[in-house]
């Protein structure tokens, strides 16, 4: 049921074939979109040479409730590494696990436009939370990281040493998440 990979690929390819799209918000929630569809959507967020990304003005993307998988998270991370417009990304209930969280964490030091990342109910263990904390140490833009209902609990954050004891944005996010 839902769009599935075929529908998501068709949307992404349709956007890529045309000129830059003025779409600012895209919600593809609980549509049964897997790795192939997520990878196609991620490609539409990435630069396409002189024409720029198909979704050049997209500010909010919700893929909540789709089985993103680790490779899908990797494709999104590559897109986030280069994208300069996306401000809000909701990947809640996407079965990311620790490896998926680690893939997304790799993009955090390179992206300064993402303000909110929702990763609620993804089965992210302590190791995934530590990877995200590490990525946050070198990220200046993220204001909200939502990790509720993941098995990492507060241990994933409280066990992560902050550098030199200096005040950190990560500390503020850690307090918000753990409380």
């Amino acid at each position: 049921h839902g769009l599935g990979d075929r529908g998501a690929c068709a949307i992404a390819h349709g956007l890529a074939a045309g000129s830059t799209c003025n779409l600012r918000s895209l919600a593809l929630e609980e549509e049964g979109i897997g790795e192939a569809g997520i990878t196609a959507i991620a490609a539409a967020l990435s630069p396409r040479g002189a024409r720029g990304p198909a979704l050049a003005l997209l500010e909010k993307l919700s893929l909540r409730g789709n089985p993103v998988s680790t490779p899908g998270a990797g494709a999104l991370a590559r897109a986030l590494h280069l994208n300069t417009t996306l401000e809000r990304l909701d990947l809640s209930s996407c079965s990311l696990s620790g490896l998926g969280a680690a893939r997304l964490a790799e993009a955090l030091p390179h992206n300064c436009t993402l303000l909110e990342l929702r990763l609620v109910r993804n089965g992210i263990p302590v190791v995934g939370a530590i990877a995200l904390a590490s990525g946050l140490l070198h990220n200046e833009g993220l204001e909200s990281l939502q990790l509720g209902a993941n098995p990492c609990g507060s241990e994933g954050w409280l066990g992560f040493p902050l550098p030199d004891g200096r005040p950190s944005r990560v500390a503020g996010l850690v307090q918000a998440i753990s409380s």
Side-chain angles (χ1 to χ4, degrees):
H1 83 46
L3 287 174
D5 284 336
R6 274 183 84 160
C9 288
I11 289 171
H13 293 306
L15 290 168
S19 60
T20 299
C21 179
N22 290 329
L23 192 64
R24 295 199 185 269
S25 179
L26 179 59
L28 298 171
E29 299 172 348
E30 298 179 11
E31 292 288 349
I33 302 169
E35 181 182 334
I38 297 296
T39 300
I41 296 294
L45 291 168
S46 300
R48 303 176 298 159
R51 291 187 337 180
L55 294 171
L57 300 176
L58 193 69
E59 296 170 353
K60 182 178 179 182
L61 176 61
S62 179
L63 297 170
R64 186 185 70 215
N66 290 295
V68 170
S69 77
T70 300
L76 287 168
R78 286 187 296 280
L80 286 174
H81 185 88
L82 302 169
N83 183 280
T84 59
T85 60
L86 194 65
E87 296 177 352
R88 301 191 185 328
L89 178 60
D90 187 351
L91 296 174
S92 296
S93 301
C94 286
S95 305
L96 289 176
S97 75
L99 287 175
R103 295 294 176 269
L104 292 170
E106 293 168 3
L108 292 178
H110 308 284
N111 182 295
C112 60
T113 56
L114 192 65
L115 303 174
E116 178 183 329
L117 180 58
R118 293 181 51 86
L119 301 175
V120 177
R121 286 183 297 285
N122 271 300
I124 298 172
V126 171
V127 68
I130 290 172
L132 288 164
S134 179
L136 284 171
L137 286 175
H138 305 287
N139 175 286
E140 297 298 321
L142 199 66
E143 296 172 354
S144 174
L145 173 61
Q146 298 174 28
L147 275 174
N150 280 292
C152 60
S154 59
E155 298 85 21
W157 297 103
L158 299 177
F160 190 81
L162 296 174
D164 305 326
R166 62 186 163 90
S168 168
R169 285 184 346 86
V170 176
L173 285 168
V174 169
Q175 291 170 358
I177 292 166
S178 336
S179 50

